[in-house]
Amino acid sequence: MAEDRDFNSASFYRFLTEKKLMASRCKKCHALYLPPHPICTRCHASEMEWVEMKGSGKLAAFTSIAVGPSSTIEEGYDRNNPYVVGIVKLDEGPKISGRIHGLDAKKPAGIKVGIPLEAEFPEQTEGRSPYVTFKTT
Ligand SMILES: [Zn+2]
């Protein structure tokens, strides 16, 4: 059961493999933590509960990457085929970073902060931590 999982990154990753974006919420002051924290840094309570994020949000900041790590080079990204990584402010409040699909990475000047995005859960690659990406809606 979800409620039994520890409030840490390992649980967060496990939820991602189940295509769920989960945050921890303080039962006392309702602060949300993503990635999840076991203790509330706002009120210091240690009573947390899991909450599933809808996965929708808005682009808060971004960068276009032309020279990425080897995993992205293997996927075909390079100087001529850059990709966008951004910070997404979820509708529920927390921010999360991830690759953003559906934007023209070659023309970053045309990308507007605030555009609506939706979470995607890519198939897992062996030897890589599960991750979340976003796409334009
Ligand atoms: Zn709290």
Side-chain angles (χ1 to χ4, degrees):
M1 257 176 73
E3 284 67 30
D4 296 335
R5 296 190 197 174
D6 291 336
F7 297 101
N8 58 26
S9 299
S11 301
F12 175 73
Y13 288 139
R14 212 173 118 208
F15 277 124
L16 283 183
T17 68
E18 296 163 10
K19 304 190 186 302
K20 285 179 182 170
L21 196 53
M22 300 292 280
S24 68
R25 179 169 61 196
C26 173
K27 283 185 177 177
K28 262 192 182 164
C29 76
H30 302 117
L32 280 169
Y33 295 93
L34 190 81
H37 279 246
I39 290 170
C40 182
T41 53
R42 196 156 86 183
C43 77
H44 307 290
S46 56
E47 292 274 292
M48 289 281 173
E49 59 188 349
W50 287 109
V51 218
E52 184 172 358
M53 306 286 101
K54 285 179 301 178
S56 51
K58 289 185 166 62
L59 187 64
F62 69 93
T63 186
S64 176
I65 297 179
V67 182
S70 55
S71 59
T72 59
I73 294 166
E74 281 163 25
E75 285 178 63
Y77 292 102
D78 60 21
R79 237 174 263 280
N80 298 315
N81 186 25
Y83 62 99
V84 175
V85 166
I87 295 170
V88 180
K89 188 176 193 306
L90 298 173
D91 290 346
E92 292 89 347
K95 289 176 183 160
I96 183 169
S97 63
R99 200 186 303 171
I100 320 282
H101 296 131
L103 299 173
D104 190 351
K106 286 182 185 173
K107 293 177 185 148
I111 300 173
K112 298 272 180 285
V113 160
I115 59 159
L117 298 168
E118 207 174 83
E120 297 179 297
F121 301 92
E123 287 308 312
Q124 286 186 78
T125 328
E126 217 171 299
R128 191 175 170 179
S129 298
Y131 59 101
V132 61
T133 61
F134 288 85
K135 62 175 181 187
T136 50
T137 56

